[in-house]
Amino acid sequence: MEVTIASKPLTAFSYVTFDVVGTLIDFEGAIKDGLAVIAEREHVDIDGEAALAVYRDARYEPGAGLFPDDLGRCYSRIAEAFGLPDTEEYRQLMIDTVGEAKPFADSVEAMKQLKARYKLIAMTNARRWAFDKYAEKLGQPFWAGFTTDDTGCEKPDPDYFHQVFASVIGDGGTKDDILHTAQSQYHDIGISRELGMTNAWIQRRHGQSGYGGTIEPKEFTEPDYHFHALIELAQAAEDAFGA
């Protein structure tokens, strides 16, 4: 499904920037998988969506760390909420499980198709060690990759975006040559609109209520392009270039 209010066609861009975690990589599924292992060991039932809500709230807290290292601290909040043991072993299990999170089913093929048309740039709030694992699972599609270790800040900080703009300018492009693609309204869609970028919202949680493990935005931003899956963007780009 595609909904678009964009005035610029997909053929107008030379670069596509991506949020990685939540857009290309299924971190919510990984959180649920890790908790399922712990719950089975401890003979406790856990509602995955309820656990994601606790995780989301924990990510709001002052002193929150960088992803996915912060999963250890967040697990402590989940353990308290669901009566699980808060051990160093289980904290590390959650960090490791999310560090090995898998791509969504359509991500690898979609990125392969998009790479044939654009220079692809990762803009992730994950640390470099985790991003390197994710990029390998995605088939190494990126022309460039930015992590919190590289930028010294997290999205939605505008400085993160300006560092990417500088890289594109160094390559002979401009901000207007970029399509920013993401599932997070809070981290990506809102700020990309404020910075004057054209954006594509990949609504990974379509058909599900709430924001899951992603921080909820203060207000919803209507995207330029709206898809339910990344492969729909790739197919739309193929159609646009083939027209």
Side-chain angles (χ1 to χ4, degrees):
M1 173 185 175
E2 174 192 359
V3 179
T4 177
I5 62 170
S7 58
K8 293 179 67 174
L10 292 173
T11 53
F13 305 102
S14 300
Y15 307 85
V16 181
T17 48
F18 291 91
D19 167 59
V20 176
V21 176
T23 304
L24 309 179
I25 297 292
D26 184 10
F27 85 102
E28 291 186 355
I31 289 175
K32 290 179 179 180
D33 288 346
L35 290 174
V37 170
I38 295 171
E40 183 177 6
R41 290 181 185 176
E42 300 299 330
H43 307 289
V44 175
D45 291 329
I46 295 181
D47 182 299
E49 284 296 307
L52 287 177
V54 176
Y55 166 81
R56 182 182 66 239
D57 291 344
R59 292 293 287 161
Y60 272 113
E61 294 175 350
L66 297 177
F67 182 95
D69 303 56
D70 198 42
L71 261 295
R73 186 189 64 84
C74 292
Y75 171 72
S76 295
R77 306 296 185 270
I78 295 171
E80 181 179 4
F82 292 93
L84 295 168
D86 183 10
T87 67
E88 194 62 38
E89 177 189 0
Y90 285 161
R91 292 183 188 185
Q92 191 62 49
L93 184 152
M94 291 303 300
I95 294 170
D96 293 342
T97 301
V98 176
E100 294 290 348
K102 299 175 182 178
F104 288 100
D106 66 331
S107 292
V108 173
E109 178 59 29
M111 295 297 279
K112 180 180 179 181
Q113 291 183 27
L114 290 166
K115 183 180 179 180
R117 300 294 185 183
Y118 310 98
K119 291 181 177 178
L120 309 185
I121 303 173
M123 294 178 60
T124 180
N125 279 355
R127 298 197 63 190
R128 172 61 63 172
W129 72 263
F131 170 68
D132 287 344
K133 291 175 178 288
Y134 300 152
E136 183 67 24
K137 288 181 172 68
L138 290 164
Q140 298 291 1
F142 298 109
W143 173 74
F146 291 80
T147 74
T148 50
D149 290 320
D150 305 311
T151 62
C153 60
E154 294 182 287
K155 298 174 298 175
D157 189 330
D159 186 56
Y160 196 125
F161 287 79
H162 286 297
Q163 291 185 51
V164 175
F165 297 162
S167 177
V168 168
I169 290 170
D171 189 52
T174 72
K175 177 183 69 176
D176 293 337
D177 296 321
I178 304 171
L179 174 67
H180 188 58
T181 304
Q183 68 86 27
S184 176
Q185 283 274 329
Y186 173 82
H187 296 99
D188 293 274
I189 301 301
I191 184 62
S192 62
R193 171 59 48 74
E194 290 179 23
L195 295 174
M197 303 178 76
T198 302
N199 55 40
W201 183 36
I202 310 301
Q203 190 186 3
R204 287 295 190 184
R205 287 182 57 85
H206 66 90
Q208 297 176 275
S209 61
Y211 284 86
T214 302
I215 294 176
E216 185 173 350
K218 291 183 179 179
E219 60 184 31
F220 179 83
T221 299
E222 191 70 32
D224 296 295
Y225 287 94
H226 177 190
F227 302 96
H228 286 173
L230 187 66
I231 196 67
E232 294 174 1
L233 169 59
Q235 291 169 346
E238 288 297 302
D239 291 343
F241 278 97

